[in-house]
Amino acid sequence: MPETQSSQKVQEFKTFVKANPFVLKKVKRGEKTLQELFEEWMLFGEDDQTWFDDEEDQGEKEASTADKSNKVAGMLSAIKQMNLDEVQKGIEQFSGAVYSIQEVLSQFRSKPKQQAPYIHSHSPFPFRHD
């Protein structure tokens, strides 16, 4: 490529990047170099869909972030409307139920299984003579 045509392509690429700044995100993330982007631009052209996939992904991320913000705001609103006395009573009742279950379980654990006493005799038969 002659020098003037090369510098003209560089200027066109710069114009493309200025019009579509999201293209540089891959460079900022360290995924590609500016040279690699320029070479892809030369091969595929500026109308190729791969340039705009990143922009759509970014839009989806921003929408997801906004959705998360709305959920947090909704949770905070719900917390503000709660009657804290009722919440405290509910926690105490739940705690009491858990304690009762623990007590029942500990009673079952503390009782060892009693086995029938083993009678040692000289007889090969396991029954006793009266």
Side-chain angles (χ1 to χ4, degrees):
M1 215 184 285
E3 191 64 35
T4 56
Q5 190 178 10
S6 174
S7 63
Q8 182 182 359
K9 287 292 184 185
V10 170
Q11 287 302 320
E12 288 176 22
F13 179 69
K14 286 181 180 180
T15 303
F16 171 72
V17 169
K18 285 180 183 176
N20 303 289
F22 59 87
V23 171
L24 294 178
K25 291 198 186 239
K26 287 184 178 181
V27 174
K28 291 177 183 176
R29 291 188 300 236
E31 296 173 10
K32 296 201 181 230
T33 65
L34 198 54
Q35 180 66 38
E36 290 171 328
L37 288 179
F38 177 72
E39 290 170 2
E40 289 175 8
W41 179 80
M42 289 290 292
L43 287 172
F44 303 119
E46 62 186 54
D47 295 327
D48 190 67
Q49 183 60 38
T50 57
W51 301 114
F52 304 103
D53 288 342
D54 285 339
E55 182 182 32
E56 290 170 6
D57 290 344
Q58 185 64 26
E60 289 174 8
K61 287 179 187 175
E62 288 171 1
S64 174
T65 302
D67 188 40
K68 288 177 185 175
S69 296
N70 289 339
K71 287 180 182 178
V72 170
M75 288 174 47
L76 290 175
S77 174
I79 290 171
K80 287 179 184 177
Q81 294 175 0
M82 284 183 183
N83 181 345
L84 296 181
D85 292 331
E86 291 295 320
V87 172
Q88 181 67 32
K89 287 179 186 176
I91 291 172
E92 289 171 0
Q93 288 175 347
F94 180 73
S95 177
V98 170
Y99 179 75
S100 298
I101 292 169
Q102 287 175 330
E103 285 295 311
V104 170
L105 290 176
S106 69
Q107 289 175 0
F108 284 115
R109 284 190 204 141
S110 65
K111 290 184 180 178
K113 291 183 180 178
Q114 296 194 5
Q115 297 177 342
Y118 178 73
I119 301 174
H120 183 65
S121 69
H122 295 291
S123 172
F125 302 105
F127 53 85
R128 294 189 299 181
H129 294 285
D130 287 330

